[in-house]
Amino acid sequence: MTVARRYPWVLATVSWSNAQQFTRGTHEGLPLLSHGCAPRDVLATRRQLRALGLRPGGADPVAVLYGRHNHSKAQWLASLYLIATAVPVRPMTPAKHTALAKANLARRICRSCGRDPLYVLPTSTRQCWPCFEADAAATGTAA
Ligand SMILES: [Zn+2]
């Protein structure tokens, strides 16, 4: 039994093209495409989207891709999503963002006066300029 006989080519109306496209029938109501005949510039699996820095973003799959593992010959199916409706992967979760903001804030607090001078302090002194200058004057190293 060959895949070709099991899945005959079917010319069908598809959501990602104005023209009818050759498919291998349908799977659970979605056009079924074989590996290699899916338009890679229009449709992508979740994994392929991820490689592009995208995610489906709540969009439903528009087609199903099938293929066969080289060694086991087991068939696999993967949902295909429209690349056009995919959204960028969130670069940071809110928790990560908060943690980073806290780290940045800690970097701005002067270790002498405990104030936030609203700029990131030099890592060598961790002091705001007034405190740094005061310390320098006290130790007699000021110019
Ligand atoms: Zn200070």
Side-chain angles (χ1 to χ4, degrees):
M1 182 184 66
T2 66
V3 171
R5 225 175 294 157
R6 197 167 154 203
Y7 296 113
W9 290 99
V10 179
L11 198 56
T13 303
V14 293
S15 59
W16 63 89
S17 174
N18 291 328
Q20 288 202 319
Q21 302 287 306
F22 277 106
T23 69
R24 306 317 278 277
T26 59
H27 176 81
E28 290 177 0
L30 291 173
L32 186 64
L33 301 173
S34 54
H35 203 49
C37 83
R40 295 198 70 160
D41 52 334
V42 180
L43 303 176
T45 63
R46 201 174 270 273
R47 243 178 79 187
Q48 289 165 343
L49 282 181
R50 188 73 209 199
L52 297 169
L54 300 168
R55 62 192 171 90
D60 290 322
V62 295
V64 177
L65 183 71
Y66 80 85
R68 236 163 237 286
H69 291 290
N70 285 338
H71 295 289
S72 64
K73 302 294 174 201
Q75 186 182 300
W76 52 261
L77 292 170
S79 296
L80 284 171
Y81 300 87
L82 279 176
I83 295 173
T85 60
V87 296
V89 171
R90 253 178 305 215
M92 263 192 274
T93 64
K96 270 190 204 162
H97 201 271
T98 305
L100 188 68
K102 270 188 192 156
N104 276 333
L105 184 63
R107 238 175 278 162
R108 292 201 323 227
I109 301 295
C110 172
R111 68 178 170 87
S112 297
C113 65
R115 281 193 298 237
D116 177 2
L118 303 178
Y119 49 78
V120 173
L121 302 171
T123 50
S124 55
T125 61
R126 287 244 178 265
Q127 285 178 305
C128 63
W129 280 111
C131 289
F132 176 74
E133 286 183 347
D135 275 12
T139 54
T141 54

